[in-house]
Amino acid sequence: MRFQSPLPWLSAATAAAVFSNTQLAAAQDPIIRTNDEVLQEALLKDIMKSYSGWEAEPSECSASANEASTIFTFDFPGTNAASKWYTAFEKYEEGKFAGMMSHVDTSDNNRKIWTIRIGTGGDMYSHFVHDPTDDTQGTETMPANKHTDSPWNDEVTQMVSVNNNLNLKESTPYCDVKSNDDAVCKKYFIHQAGDYQRDGAYTKTVPFYSPLLAKHCSGN
């Protein structure tokens, strides 16, 4: 995994507020790879054929004049208070967190500064736009995630798979539980992020987040 040093205009105190001391130490070495990271990269390249060789392909993104404009980490930095999440669900975020990426564009008076947080299911659950004068402040563009029984499993950017043969259809051999309308089965779909806390003892105390097989990030 490639770490990139914080931008010069970020003070050490500000950077430490966003990234842990471990990450800052790692940033002193441009490339730090553990056996676990090598394994996860290998898994991705072996399972996802389209992933292998993607770095060699022409980028569709706008080229950045500042090679230090992108910083990422897989270490949980703590909850961002400025995101103003639903307080009762904040305790679940560490279990939800898989990675974080920040981008800083020093042009246009430093107005293009944002951080996204990715869940274990590959969904984006936070998109925080930093204040150009104080990057610890800003605006969270995702909902506060107060959705009942669904901390960061519903109000996130994700894919949803729906079985159209079973979802809200008339009674079928696979539908034992009905909705308020006895003639219609309940909803039948799968969230990329995870499921609701409505599966008895399995999810009553803690939410279930989709498991993460492997993760890898490199370059800018």
Side-chain angles (χ1 to χ4, degrees):
M1 181 173 65
R2 186 183 300 277
F3 283 93
Q4 305 206 352
S5 301
L7 296 177
W9 65 270
L10 288 176
S11 67
T14 299
V18 181
F19 302 105
S20 68
N21 290 334
T22 300
Q23 294 161 301
L24 290 175
Q28 305 304 316
D29 188 336
I31 300 178
I32 293 182
R33 292 170 62 81
T34 65
N35 290 336
D36 180 61
E37 290 161 359
V38 172
L39 173 61
Q40 294 195 52
E41 180 182 359
L43 285 172
L44 285 172
K45 289 184 175 180
D46 182 62
I47 296 173
M48 301 174 63
K49 293 182 179 179
S50 61
Y51 187 89
S52 180
W54 71 270
E55 290 177 310
E57 298 177 359
S59 174
E60 296 180 0
C61 301
S62 299
S64 173
N66 189 338
E67 288 301 317
S69 63
T70 303
I71 307 169
F72 56 85
T73 180
F74 296 142
D75 296 324
F76 182 58
T79 295
N80 180 8
S83 289
K84 299 180 181 179
W85 301 122
Y86 179 48
T87 304
F89 290 162
E90 286 184 354
K91 60 185 178 182
Y92 300 129
E93 186 185 0
E94 186 170 5
K96 167 76 177 179
F97 180 88
M100 182 173 74
M101 179 181 295
S102 295
H103 172 79
V104 178
D105 188 338
T106 56
S107 64
D108 194 21
N109 296 320
N110 294 333
R111 294 185 181 277
K112 300 175 183 177
I113 309 171
W114 51 259
T115 295
I116 61 173
R117 296 191 180 201
I118 307 298
T120 57
D123 55 292
M124 182 176 72
Y125 72 90
S126 174
H127 174 246
F128 187 79
V129 181
H130 298 269
D131 185 297
T133 60
D134 180 0
D135 74 304
T136 64
Q137 301 299 315
T139 301
E140 176 62 60
T141 68
M142 303 295 281
N145 273 269
K146 193 178 178 180
H147 195 291
T148 304
D149 297 332
S150 186
W152 291 296
N153 273 344
D154 191 275
E155 298 173 340
V156 298
T157 301
Q158 64 179 331
M159 292 184 290
V160 178
S161 177
V162 182
N163 187 322
N164 289 323
N165 292 323
L166 301 178
N167 189 53
L168 297 178
K169 297 293 185 178
E170 294 183 359
S171 182
T172 74
Y174 306 100
C175 183
D176 297 326
V177 182
K178 310 292 181 60
S179 64
N180 292 333
D181 182 352
D182 289 339
V184 180
C185 294
K186 298 189 72 174
K187 298 176 181 179
Y188 199 105
F189 58 82
I190 299 174
H191 278 177
Q192 175 187 355
D195 59 16
Y196 294 155
Q197 292 183 267
R198 301 172 186 171
D199 191 15
Y202 294 106
T203 58
K204 184 177 181 180
T205 57
V206 294
F208 174 82
Y209 297 122
S210 297
L212 179 66
L213 174 64
K215 57 189 176 184
H216 171 66
C217 193
S218 67
N220 190 41

